[in-house]
Amino acid sequence: MTTPTDARPTGWDADALGVLMAPFTGTELPAWTGEALDAGLASVILFGHNTPDPETTARLARAVHARAEGCVVAIDEEGGDVTRIEAATGSPLPTAWALGEVDDIELTRHAGHALGDILAACDVDLDLAPVVDVSTDPANPVIGTRAYSDDPDRVAAHARAFATGLIEAGLGTCAKHFPGHGATSTDSHTALPLIDLDRAEFERDHLAPWRIVPWLDAVMTAHVLVPVFGEGPASISPWARPLLDQAVGGTFRGLLITDALDMAAVAADPGYGEAVVRAVESGADLLCLGTSIRRDDEQMLREAHDALVSAVDSGRLRREDLRARAARTRENCRALRTRRRFVPAPELQQVLRRAEQLGADAAARAVRGTHAQLDLRPVTVLDLRASAHHASGARSQQLVQALRDRGVQADVPSYPQEPGAGEDTGAPQLLAITRLPRSDREEGQRLADLLTRRPDVIVVHVGVPDAAPDHRRLVLAHGAGRTMMRAAVDLMLQGDR
């Protein structure tokens, strides 16, 4: 492997590449990505379109490492509803909220180790987990059951346990989303959230769990405005790193990683290239560029790279500072790669089976229901969530499949208004999926209309409990992934817990 230098036969600058975490499209390593790896690209990030199954993931990660041994392969894999490595089938592991609901620290550590084993078997180095957000706003559309709790102490305990399990398996860990994304009803993928709490309340309820990060490898900053700490989004503003140092007493020595810079919260204003430069100016070590699923992958890296080179050429960034940042980032990346190689990778199919059993047991302990018993008659499933309304039931398939796996005939209607008008008409049993019925006006109205026609409907709520509707026949599933849906179906067929 050649050592990166200032020489740029392919037009790449090694110092700029040394602070970038780039995506690429598809399940094969593109030629341009290989050239960037040769020139010193610090990290690549895999998304669901790269990882349709664990076997493909392993082959792709090994191809990256064969081209550049020191490159860190990262993935945004939380288990539960956020899975890349098993995007096609759903994660075998429960959501963070389900683990917090059970509140068994050893179970959470075992879940982290199980996920780490899967990632290690796939030759992945860094998992962008655990989530350290405290989900205090039930209307939060992006965190929800990805958080362990609405209690900061429980979040800290379970996030550290999950990270411990990942580390035991040889994985790097990244706590996210600093300083906390749980107290807002805005999704930073689509707009810039404002968290307008006073300093004492924010520090007590949202900053406190970050005391765990000295034991972790990285921290991801959030695209959130918190005016009591300073101006601008945390991810690209100079107040975030000093606040992190203050929160942990200056003891964090890991990587500071931005959330994806293609997200609308910063890509719209100040713009993608400007956000890249501001992130480096604000102390970030590694810039996550985002997903290329709707953008040209090579252009994403080129645009970020060129923004940094232009900032150096104009004098806005000092070359020696960028070079020092890249050297620090590579040193941390080497440490992650050394750990990954030091812990022997387990056999993939074996760890997948173990994760399946652990996830099923954990989900069964977490799911709750009242007056929600099903029999073996056919079932119709309606997904009332706003984001699923025009998807012809596509997002309800995990519940439909879980019912079919248990021998229940289940399907989705062609139109939302199709289910019969009353419970005594001989219509199929009816399940309705909700997530934010109290805060999303359209979802709430669809549920109200449905309950008028079918008061016998069983509501399967996949969000946090405080966002659930007030309905007699209710299942709290704590997530919409495969494992949580199977546990919800088992509960409905066996009786309430």
Side-chain angles (χ1 to χ4, degrees):
M1 184 181 69
T2 58
T3 301
T5 68
D6 286 335
R8 290 181 274 165
T10 58
W12 294 114
D13 183 293
D15 297 332
L17 290 176
V19 297
L20 299 180
M21 175 188 285
F24 57 87
T25 304
T27 59
E28 301 290 338
L29 193 63
W32 70 263
T33 307
E35 292 173 358
L37 290 169
D38 293 343
L41 180 63
S43 177
V44 298
I45 181 168
L46 304 181
F47 289 96
H49 59 85
N50 304 119
T51 59
D53 55 67
E55 292 79 8
T56 301
T57 307
R59 179 174 52 78
L60 188 55
R62 287 169 188 146
V64 172
H65 289 141
R67 189 71 179 252
E69 175 59 36
C71 178
V72 160
V73 176
I75 198 164
D76 196 13
E77 180 72 35
E78 299 169 16
D81 294 356
V82 178
T83 179
R84 314 298 185 198
I85 210 164
E86 295 181 87
T89 60
S91 173
L93 294 169
T95 58
W97 194 278
L99 292 169
E101 188 79 11
V102 176
D103 199 18
D104 179 338
I105 294 298
E106 279 301 290
L107 174 65
T108 300
R109 182 177 70 82
H110 288 311
H113 199 141
L115 179 56
D117 279 342
I118 294 172
L119 296 177
C122 294
D123 207 24
V124 172
D125 305 304
L126 174 64
D127 189 14
L128 302 181
V131 172
V132 188
D133 302 306
V134 183
S135 189
T136 56
D137 189 341
N140 195 307
V142 66
I143 302 301
T145 59
R146 296 169 63 195
Y148 290 97
S149 178
D150 56 7
D151 174 75
D153 291 335
R154 186 174 294 196
V155 167
H158 284 275
R160 184 171 179 184
F162 195 86
T164 298
L166 286 169
I167 292 168
E168 289 171 342
L171 264 292
T173 57
C174 178
K176 60 188 184 186
H177 309 80
F178 184 81
H181 202 314
T184 175
S185 58
T186 301
D187 182 351
S188 52
H189 290 85
T190 59
L192 181 59
L194 169 67
I195 302 180
D196 198 15
L197 300 177
D198 64 46
R199 188 181 189 104
E201 184 179 0
F202 193 98
E203 289 181 347
R204 182 190 69 236
D205 293 343
H206 298 279
L207 207 56
W210 295 92
R211 64 183 182 267
I212 72 169
V213 301
W215 290 275
L216 277 63
D217 301 295
V219 168
M220 175 176 282
T221 50
H223 306 315
V224 294
L225 294 171
V226 191
V228 294
F229 296 124
E231 296 183 0
S235 54
I236 59 171
S237 299
W239 57 264
R241 186 139 205 164
L243 181 66
L244 178 61
D245 289 338
Q246 173 197 323
V248 301
T251 57
F252 177 64
R253 298 290 181 266
L255 291 166
L256 193 66
I257 304 176
T258 67
D259 206 346
L261 293 174
D262 68 330
M263 291 164 62
V266 294
D269 182 16
Y272 178 70
E274 176 65 16
V276 165
V277 178
R278 289 192 194 180
V280 172
E281 290 178 324
S282 301
D285 300 302
L286 198 52
L287 280 53
C288 176
L289 301 185
T291 176
S292 61
I293 192 65
R294 288 177 294 276
R295 295 185 60 183
D296 181 88
D297 48 7
E298 183 176 4
Q299 183 183 358
M300 287 184 74
L301 180 58
R302 277 285 178 193
E303 198 173 326
H305 167 276
D306 292 352
L308 292 176
V309 172
S310 294
V312 169
D313 290 344
S314 70
R316 180 176 174 181
L317 290 178
R318 296 170 67 228
R319 167 64 70 178
E320 52 266 42
D321 291 342
L322 182 60
R323 180 165 297 163
R325 189 75 55 82
R328 164 186 156 80
T329 298
R330 289 196 178 96
E331 182 180 349
N332 278 273
C333 288
R334 279 195 296 271
L336 293 175
R337 288 289 296 134
T338 298
R339 180 195 301 164
R340 172 73 291 286
R341 292 194 300 267
F342 181 78
V343 179
E347 195 276 321
L348 179 58
Q349 292 306 316
Q350 183 181 33
V351 296
L352 287 170
R353 289 191 295 270
R354 281 205 300 264
E356 197 76 46
Q357 186 59 58
L358 185 147
D361 293 345
R365 293 172 63 184
V367 172
R368 300 284 182 269
T370 56
H371 307 289
Q373 193 153 5
L374 282 176
D375 55 42
L376 295 178
R377 288 179 295 139
V379 173
T380 296
V381 176
L382 281 176
D383 195 339
L384 304 183
R385 293 172 292 181
S387 57
H389 188 47
H390 301 294
S392 302
R395 292 190 62 187
S396 61
Q397 285 306 312
Q398 292 289 5
L399 180 53
V400 169
Q401 190 59 52
L403 288 160
R404 291 173 178 170
D405 288 345
R406 298 301 189 265
V408 178
Q409 181 182 331
D411 218 328
V412 296
S414 301
Y415 302 97
Q417 293 79 18
E418 190 175 300
E423 55 188 288
D424 298 323
T425 63
Q429 299 173 102
L430 189 59
L431 301 180
I433 303 173
T434 63
R435 182 168 179 255
L436 296 168
R438 293 173 182 260
S439 57
D440 185 276
R441 186 181 60 81
E442 292 184 8
E443 182 177 331
Q445 188 59 57
R446 285 195 288 274
L447 178 61
D449 293 345
L450 179 62
L451 292 176
T452 299
R453 303 197 311 272
R454 290 289 301 269
D456 63 318
V457 64
I458 297 174
V459 173
V460 179
H461 182 70
V462 300
V464 300
D466 283 351
D470 183 15
H471 181 57
R472 180 173 176 270
R473 308 190 73 190
L474 180 67
V475 175
L476 297 176
H478 310 306
R482 173 167 59 93
T483 298
M484 305 315 299
M485 291 293 93
R486 286 182 172 180
V489 168
D490 288 344
L491 178 143
M492 289 186 282
L493 291 175
Q494 297 166 8
D496 299 345
R497 284 198 300 269

